[in-house]
Amino acid sequence: MIGAESLVRTLLASGVDTCFANPGTSELYFISALDRVPGMRCVLGLFEGVVTGAADGYARMTGRPAATLLHCGPGLANGLSSLHNARRANSPIVNVVGDTASFHRPLDPALTADTEGFARPVSAWVRTASSAVNLGEDGAVAVQAARTSPGRIATLIVPADISWGEGGHVATPLPVPAAPQAAPGTVKQVAAILRRGEPAVIFLGGKALLAEGLPVASRIAAACGVRLLAQQSNARIQRGQGRVPLECVPYAMALAQRALAGTRHVILAGIHCPVALFAYPNQRGSVCPNDAEVHVLARPEQDAVQALKALAEELHAPAAPAVSLSAPPEPARGPLVREAVGQTLAALIPEEAIVIDEGVSFGAGFYGQTQASAPHDWLQHTGASLGMGLPMAIGAALGAPGRRVIVVQADGSAMYTVQALWTQARERLDVTTLVLANRKYAILAGELANLGGQPGPVSGRLMDLGNPELNWVKIANGMGVEAAQAQDCDELASLLTHSLGRRGPFLIELLI
Ligand SMILES: Cc1ncc(C[n+]2csc(CCOP(=O)(O)OP(=O)(O)O)c2C)c(N)n1
């Protein structure tokens, strides 16, 4: 058996059955092996940022790694931005990167690059395979590394001669290490602090934001009068009717600091201490008051849900109070203003939808407006590197079949990875994209105003996407995705309802 085939078989044996790919010559052995070995779902992305972003979406919805297949250093480099977002989401991913044959490398052929060097900043584990005989084992270790809590990126670089070399064998899958537990002493210390009754906030992150952890946190909140919060942007929150509503720290620093004013104790459950996205001259970076004490209940790699359960027991917290949310609103009528678009979305989010939020400035309030929508998952921008929405939708749709994906998508951000629409069409994925077409980089103008400036002739042109105007219906149609324009909320509601009732992708351009 050649090395590439042993790697494919080992990945499958280790539970990796989805591969997002943009192959080249050094990966031909791997993709040929996929013709012989059944069981791997392979999805072509037409840019590596789409491939790696799709793997992020898949990991967030399944908790398991997909493989990516990337071509040499340059292919990996194209995928780095989405890998950056995935790393900040603690998404498990196994990158398989083909490379120049090891004996050819000293000749310095065109694709020679520091592939390991490209991989390292986004990867918790990097290895360049050195023998076909061991390639199966390399694959098993890569999967184990990716599945190590809280979810990591593992990059296995495979020179072409290792792929084609004979003597490969299928490796035994390696165990997934359990997430470390918070020490009992830590739980007792945090309980003692909460018993003091001083103003406190518990920041929830990672799995504590999912349906199992939130009711436990809610028990603690009700028992001690402590507030629950999430950081501004999170990998995945389970929310909506019947679920514990959770506020996120506002983006604007003044609002964030106001939200936390008076807090004496900040308890961290599965998250690092939240900070502002940007620094401003003469302003603090932390959203927490200077005099607040920070207590780590569980670090991101620890089992935060277990730590919350232990804390609830230690506090003898009674069962969680029933969640009572008002009914979702009716769709709005009239012009496409922020509040009305958010209300229409809130009314129409279908049960078990997955909302991917790259709404940037226009969509900033939608999270707050959709607390009482039908139960759904909300996926946010963890790394602030633009272009996550359209690719993540691919992975989320494949990772959670039968659930509708709704992408709230700012237009400037969409252009970074627009090729994702083609993959959505090719795979007939149930994705509805709402393009918020303001034809500007509006948030940059807002940030400039925060600094006391305003766009001038040069800077203004660098924030303007209106000349020429992007035509989203034509862009989508050109990639095989049906699309229509909404000029007001009535049209938005009718197009959204139409898209939710049909199979396959649909794009709605909102002229805002
Ligand atoms: C990869 C990457 N490049 C550039 C930026 C800088 N940046 C931050 S916001 C922004 C503009 C976003 O525009 P758009 O998506 O249209 O949203 P809007 O601001 O109009 O709401 C840019 C370019 C970034 N965050 N990430």
Side-chain angles (χ1 to χ4, degrees):
M1 186 189 312
I2 63 166
E5 182 170 332
S6 74
L7 178 56
V8 170
R9 290 186 184 277
T10 302
L11 290 174
L12 283 167
S14 306
V16 177
D17 60 7
T18 303
C19 177
F20 299 102
N22 188 275
T25 44
S26 28
E27 297 77 43
L28 292 179
Y29 311 92
F30 189 96
I31 61 173
S32 299
L34 291 170
D35 285 331
R36 298 189 295 277
V37 183
M40 185 73 80
R41 172 131 197 200
C42 285
V43 178
L44 178 62
L46 300 186
F47 171 66
E48 290 84 349
V50 172
V51 169
T52 51
D56 185 11
Y58 179 92
R60 292 197 203 188
M61 291 313 301
T62 61
R64 290 187 291 112
T68 68
L69 184 67
L70 304 168
H71 183 51
C72 303
L76 171 63
N78 276 346
L80 287 182
S81 168
S82 300
L83 288 172
H84 160 85
N85 289 330
R87 183 180 74 81
R88 310 269 335 180
N90 294 322
S91 291
I93 295 177
V94 175
N95 295 315
V96 176
V97 185
D99 215 343
T100 306
S102 49
F103 61 84
H104 194 49
R105 199 177 171 81
L107 305 180
D108 196 28
L111 280 156
T112 310
D114 182 2
T115 313
E116 282 195 5
F118 291 170
R120 236 174 248 118
V122 293
S123 309
W125 181 97
V126 181
R127 180 178 293 177
T128 299
S130 56
S131 104
V133 176
N134 294 334
L135 187 54
E137 260 95 32
D138 294 335
V141 178
V143 177
Q144 185 185 50
R147 299 199 69 178
T148 299
S149 183
R152 293 157 193 241
I153 296 176
T155 302
L156 177 59
I157 299 161
V158 189
D161 51 327
I162 309 303
S163 270
W164 77 55
E166 287 292 344
H169 65 268
V170 185
T172 309
L174 296 171
V176 179
Q181 304 282 311
T186 307
V187 174
K188 283 192 186 338
Q189 276 167 16
V190 173
I193 283 155
L194 291 182
R195 280 198 205 94
R196 287 192 216 158
E198 294 172 345
V201 166
I202 302 182
F203 267 110
L204 303 171
K207 293 201 172 70
L209 300 171
L210 305 185
E212 188 192 349
L214 282 168
V216 187
S218 170
R219 259 173 83 189
I220 298 167
C224 306
V226 60
R227 283 172 67 208
L228 303 178
L229 268 180
Q231 65 180 336
Q232 189 223 327
S233 243
N234 300 274
R236 180 180 173 200
I237 302 179
Q238 291 192 302
R239 61 199 298 264
Q241 288 291 330
R243 293 180 175 157
V244 176
L246 189 64
E247 271 179 61
C248 298
V249 173
Y251 166 80
M253 196 51 180
L255 295 181
Q257 287 175 345
R258 201 174 310 150
L260 283 141
T263 303
R264 286 286 302 121
H265 300 281
V266 173
I267 318 286
L268 303 175
I271 185 181
H272 294 302
C273 206
V275 297
L277 185 53
F278 306 113
Y280 298 93
N282 308 319
Q283 280 203 30
R284 286 188 307 113
S286 170
V287 299
C288 301
N290 266 344
D291 57 351
E293 287 174 31
V294 177
H295 313 274
V296 180
L297 174 67
R299 294 191 306 274
E301 73 277 16
Q302 290 181 312
D303 186 340
V305 175
Q306 184 52 43
L308 288 167
K309 285 182 181 166
L311 182 60
E313 291 309 307
E314 182 69 30
L315 291 163
H316 304 293
V323 177
S324 129
L325 295 171
S326 53
E330 291 295 312
R333 315 286 310 263
L336 293 170
V337 292
R338 277 197 178 87
E339 184 76 16
V341 172
Q343 181 182 328
T344 305
L345 173 68
L348 297 177
I349 288 178
E351 197 148 327
E352 290 310 321
I354 301 160
V355 181
I356 299 181
D357 178 1
E358 195 172 38
V360 194
S361 63
F362 191 87
F366 294 179
Y367 176 87
Q369 287 181 274
T370 48
Q371 291 280 22
S373 297
H376 62 276
D377 288 15
W378 193 278
L379 279 49
Q380 295 169 311
H381 220 315
T382 51
S385 185
L386 300 181
M388 67 86 157
L390 302 178
M392 285 241 304
I394 297 168
L398 286 164
R403 299 177 62 177
R404 190 82 201 175
V405 179
I406 299 177
V407 188
V408 177
Q409 182 61 69
D411 55 354
S413 301
M415 285 304 290
Y416 288 81
T417 46
V418 68
Q419 306 90 331
L421 291 172
W422 181 86
T423 304
Q424 291 179 13
R426 173 188 249 215
E427 301 293 327
R428 297 184 208 291
L429 301 176
D430 294 336
V431 178
T432 301
T433 301
L434 307 180
V435 174
L436 309 174
N438 61 5
R439 297 170 177 158
K440 333 178 185 27
Y441 285 164
I443 200 160
L444 297 188
E447 288 294 343
L448 191 57
N450 282 343
L451 299 173
Q454 53 180 322
V458 176
S459 61
R461 200 151 184 274
L462 292 175
M463 299 174 191
D464 170 37
L465 311 185
N467 177 21
E469 283 177 354
L470 295 161
N471 182 322
W472 281 97
V473 173
K474 284 188 180 166
I475 291 172
N477 289 167
M479 298 211 211
V481 172
E482 275 188 54
Q485 249 182 20
Q487 316 256 2
D488 59 28
C489 282
D490 300 72
E491 283 182 7
L492 169 61
S494 116
L495 288 168
L496 191 49
T497 307
H498 164 75
S499 79
L500 301 175
R502 65 195 283 291
R503 304 308 305 264
F506 194 85
L507 183 145
I508 306 170
E509 179 180 27
L510 280 71
L511 294 175
I512 54 174

